[in-house]
Amino acid sequence: MKKTAVVITSAVFALMLTGCAPAGQDAQQNTQENKTTDTASVTGTLTVTPTQQKNGTMTMEPQTPPELTAQQQEQLKAGESAHEPTTLTFDVNGGNFYFTPTMIKVKKGDTVKIVFKNDGGVHNWVLDEFNVTMDPIKTDESSTVEFVADKVGTFEFYCSVGQHRQMGMKGMLVVEE
Ligand SMILES: [Cu+2]
């Protein structure tokens, strides 16, 4: 029973292999090879060999590109998700009652460095989800905070002084995959 199964499987496999090659092309090649062989017997072996190699390459070509494309697609996918973490520095200005810029975009895993410069008033730069806080600073003072953007999403940074957040002193940190 086992032997029969193996034989059947081999037969099916052989059929599949045959089925892969376009039948028409195969037949064509055979005809060409036969012709060449006929000519070869007259003109000599040297002229035959290059022609046969060329034919062989031509029948391979239609089968090869789809396999490569699938592999390349996987490689591309892997490349996209494997982002090389980097340190990004953002100069953020703040005043009564704004931040510039209002949106900061990074990739997951990046180290984010915020250099906050106070244009006027008493302010800070706070981001709860990443436990980033800062002592309020005065006009023309600067303060720097650093954190790793280790989760994907959109998070609101803001000034925690008084009612500044409610008055519009806020912005978005977007962390992409
Ligand atoms: Cu403020």
Side-chain angles (χ1 to χ4, degrees):
M1 279 301 274
K2 263 189 182 175
K3 257 191 182 174
T4 319
V6 171
V7 171
I8 289 170
T9 315
S10 306
V12 171
F13 189 60
L15 274 171
M16 282 169 68
L17 279 177
T18 321
C20 281
Q25 222 167 6
D26 233 39
Q28 249 185 4
Q29 200 201 340
N30 283 342
T31 318
Q32 274 177 353
E33 268 174 8
N34 285 343
K35 270 185 194 169
T36 322
T37 315
D38 284 342
T39 320
S41 57
V42 181
T43 38
T45 334
L46 276 171
T47 46
V48 179
T49 316
T51 319
Q52 276 180 337
Q53 277 178 347
K54 202 182 167 191
N55 281 344
T57 315
M58 280 178 77
T59 46
M60 288 292 284
E61 269 175 346
Q63 291 172 8
T64 316
E67 285 175 31
L68 278 177
T69 311
Q71 273 180 349
Q72 282 171 336
Q73 276 174 348
E74 274 181 47
Q75 280 172 347
L76 278 171
K77 261 188 191 176
E80 275 173 23
S81 55
H83 168 67
E84 285 248 340
T86 168
T87 299
L88 300 166
T89 304
F90 296 92
D91 290 311
V92 179
N93 282 60
N96 296 325
F97 296 95
Y98 63 87
F99 280 116
T100 318
T102 52
M103 190 194 273
I104 295 168
K105 246 188 200 181
V106 300
K107 294 243 180 190
K108 188 186 173 191
D110 285 342
T111 297
V112 183
K113 201 170 162 183
I114 303 289
V115 181
F116 174 57
K117 191 194 166 253
N118 186 350
D119 292 338
V122 178
H123 308 289
N124 64 2
W125 194 96
V126 173
L127 183 58
D128 291 335
E129 289 85 352
F130 294 89
N131 298 314
V132 180
T133 188
M134 178 191 289
D135 289 331
I137 55 172
K138 294 173 193 159
T139 305
D140 292 334
E141 287 182 344
S142 289
S143 184
T144 302
V145 286
E146 203 176 297
F147 61 96
V148 177
D150 55 3
K151 49 193 160 192
V152 171
T154 301
F155 312 96
E156 189 174 277
F157 60 80
Y158 62 95
C159 173
S160 71
V161 175
Q163 300 295 302
H164 295 190
R165 186 183 193 174
Q166 289 84 342
M167 292 161 89
M169 208 170 168
K170 59 189 178 183
M172 290 290 185
L173 171 80
V174 178
V175 183
E176 291 174 333
E177 190 66 59

